[in-house]
Amino acid sequence: MSNLFKPFKYKGLELKNRVVMPPMCQYSVHLKDGIPTDWHFVHYTSRAIGGTGLIIIEMTNVEDRGRISDYCLGIWSDEHIPAFKRIIDECHKYGAKVAIQIAHAGRKAEDAPIPVSSSPNAFNEKSKTPHELTTLEVKEMVEKFKNGVERAVLAGVDTIELHGAHGYLIHQFASAYTNQRTDEYGQDKFLFGKEVIKAAKSVMPADMPLIMRISALEYVDGGYGLDYSVEMAKAFRDAGVDIFHISSGGEGPIGSGGRPGSHPGYQVKLAEQIKKEVEIPVIAVGKLDDANLAESVLGNQEADLIAVGRGMLSNPYWANEASILLDGKPLTPKPYERAY
C-alpha cells in the first residue's frame, strides 16, 4: 500500500487515508445568514464519495462581522448547527471524517461595517480601518470562539481546525506586523491564540485532536520568518494544539519577505521544519495535486497528511484517481465499480 493511502490515527481521530480536503471558501451563502446551503452539501459530500480521508469545511466564522464576505459561512448561532450536521452525517456514510475550520477574518472582513483587529491598521489602501478590540472585547472574542467550537462539536465533527493563518484574526494578534498593542495581548503576542486554543479544548471531547492552521512565513516588509513561526508553534502546541496545518502569507502586501512559490510543493519545506522542531504531526499544503509528489512527501517523512486544494476543486474524485494510480484500487462506492 502506498503511504498516501495508509490509515492515520491520532488520539480519537482515525482516517482511512492521508488525503485531506483543505478549507476553501465557496462564497455561496446567498441568503447571507451564514447557514450552509445545498451547494455546500453537494460540494463536501461529493469529495467524501470520491474517497477523501479528512474533509475540512471552509472558514466558518464566530460572528457575523467576522466573515470575509457576507456570503461566507458562520457558526455564531445554534440555528447554524442542523445544516452542518446534515453535511457531516452524509460524509460519514462514505467513510470520510470531517472538521470545521473555526475562524474570524478580523481586519480582512470586507463587508463588515467596521471590522475589528488587534490594532487599528487597515489591510491595504482599499480596506476599512478596523476598530482595535479593547482588552475586554478580546476576552469576549475568546468566548465567541469557544461557542463556535462547541456548536461544531454538537454538529458531529471528528476534529476542529482553528484558523491562525493568512492574516486573519488569530494571525493578526500573533504577528508584530499587525499587533502594536501595549496591553497583555501586545506584550505576549501569542496570548490570544493560546486562550482560544484552551477555550476550544475545554468544550471538545478529551480524545478529539485540535488542528491549527498557521502561516509559517510572512511576505511583507519586516515580516516574521521560520524561526518565529517555530516559536509560535511551540507556544500553541503547549496550549493544546495536536496537529499543525502549515501554510504561509496572507498578512499584507508582498514585500521584502519574498514571494509565495509557484512550483509544486513550495511549502513542504516549511511543514518539514515545523514537524522536526515541534515534534507533532503536520499537514502539508500548497500545489500538491500530483499524486506521486504527495506520495514522496509522505515517504520522505516531510509531513503526515497531504492537503489537496485546487486539484480537489477541479476533481471531486482526486483521491480515487490517486489510489488507482498508486495502488491500482478504486475508492468509489459500489454503484461506480463498473467504471473500473
Side-chain angles (χ1 to χ4, degrees):
M1 180 183 291
S2 63
N3 291 295
L4 191 59
F5 292 95
K6 288 179 180 175
F8 174 84
K9 177 175 170 50
Y10 195 88
K11 291 189 172 180
L13 179 66
E14 297 187 35
L15 306 179
K16 63 182 180 181
N17 60 49
R18 294 168 186 250
V19 179
V20 178
M21 179 183 182
M24 294 175 283
C25 291
Q26 297 297 291
Y27 305 106
S28 296
V29 184
H30 299 298
L31 294 179
K32 302 183 180 182
D33 56 7
I35 297 175
T37 66
D38 286 346
W39 171 266
H40 298 93
F41 180 82
V42 173
H43 175 64
Y44 292 112
T45 301
S46 61
R47 275 69 186 177
I49 292 170
T52 306
L54 175 63
I55 292 168
I56 306 177
I57 293 175
E58 67 202 77
M59 182 172 173
T60 300
N61 302 284
V62 300
E63 62 174 3
D64 56 356
R65 65 177 175 175
R67 294 172 287 174
I68 300 172
S69 82
D70 286 347
Y71 299 97
C72 293
L73 292 178
I75 199 161
W76 61 81
S77 136
D78 289 351
E79 294 178 2
H80 295 92
I81 295 173
F84 282 109
K85 187 176 189 305
R86 175 177 176 242
I87 293 170
I88 294 164
D89 288 348
E90 193 68 17
C91 288
H92 283 163
K93 292 178 183 178
Y94 302 101
K97 299 299 173 68
V98 184
I100 297 176
Q101 186 187 65
I102 304 298
H104 191 296
R107 70 179 190 160
K108 295 180 77 174
E110 297 171 4
D111 291 337
I114 302 176
V116 301
S117 186
S118 53
S119 298
N121 302 311
F123 177 69
N124 58 33
E125 65 278 359
K126 297 179 181 179
S127 303
K128 300 167 187 171
T129 299
H131 162 67
E132 179 179 309
L133 293 166
T134 67
T135 303
L136 176 59
E137 288 171 336
V138 176
K139 296 183 185 303
E140 291 171 346
M141 188 66 71
V142 172
E143 192 70 15
K144 290 177 181 179
F145 270 89
K146 176 182 175 181
N147 293 339
V149 170
E150 188 169 27
R151 292 186 183 105
V153 171
L154 290 172
V157 294
D158 303 285
T159 181
I160 294 287
E161 178 170 286
L162 294 175
H163 202 345
H166 300 168
Y168 298 121
L169 191 61
I170 294 175
H171 186 177
Q172 288 164 33
F173 273 87
S175 171
Y177 173 72
T178 43
N179 183 348
Q180 289 92 46
R181 302 175 68 94
T182 57
D183 68 353
E184 59 190 301
Y185 294 100
Q187 294 164 17
D188 179 358
K189 291 180 171 52
F190 304 148
L191 180 59
F192 176 62
K194 291 188 292 188
E195 289 186 347
V196 170
I197 291 162
K198 291 175 182 176
K201 297 286 276 197
S202 73
V203 292
M204 293 168 59
D207 65 343
M208 180 183 287
L210 176 64
I211 304 170
M212 189 175 203
R213 199 174 212 188
I214 62 170
S215 285
L217 290 180
E218 291 185 324
Y219 298 114
V220 295
D221 291 332
Y224 65 67
L226 194 52
D227 288 345
Y228 185 87
S229 60
V230 167
E231 177 188 354
M232 176 171 63
K234 287 180 177 178
F236 290 162
R237 174 203 62 192
D238 293 346
V241 171
D242 298 288
I243 300 169
F244 281 108
H245 191 170
I246 307 301
S247 190
S248 63
E251 71 293 328
I254 303 299
S256 60
R259 299 192 68 82
S262 59
H263 57 279
Y266 72 97
Q267 293 179 143
V268 169
K269 66 178 182 180
L270 306 177
E272 180 185 20
Q273 192 64 25
I274 298 289
K275 176 178 169 65
K276 177 182 176 182
E277 297 281 350
V278 186
E279 298 182 314
I280 61 174
V282 300
I283 304 170
V285 68
K287 298 201 172 185
L288 294 172
D289 301 351
D290 183 289
N292 286 304
L293 174 58
E295 175 69 10
S296 70
V297 171
L298 294 174
N300 292 330
Q301 299 183 348
E302 295 165 314
D304 302 274
L305 297 161
I306 301 293
V308 179
R310 290 175 178 85
M312 209 170 287
L313 281 181
S314 64
N315 181 7
Y317 304 114
W318 186 93
N320 179 62
E321 294 186 6
S323 179
I324 293 170
L325 175 67
L326 296 174
D327 293 331
K329 298 176 181 178
L331 301 177
T332 50
K334 187 173 182 179
Y336 289 172
E337 283 181 357
R338 73 186 71 180
Y340 307 101

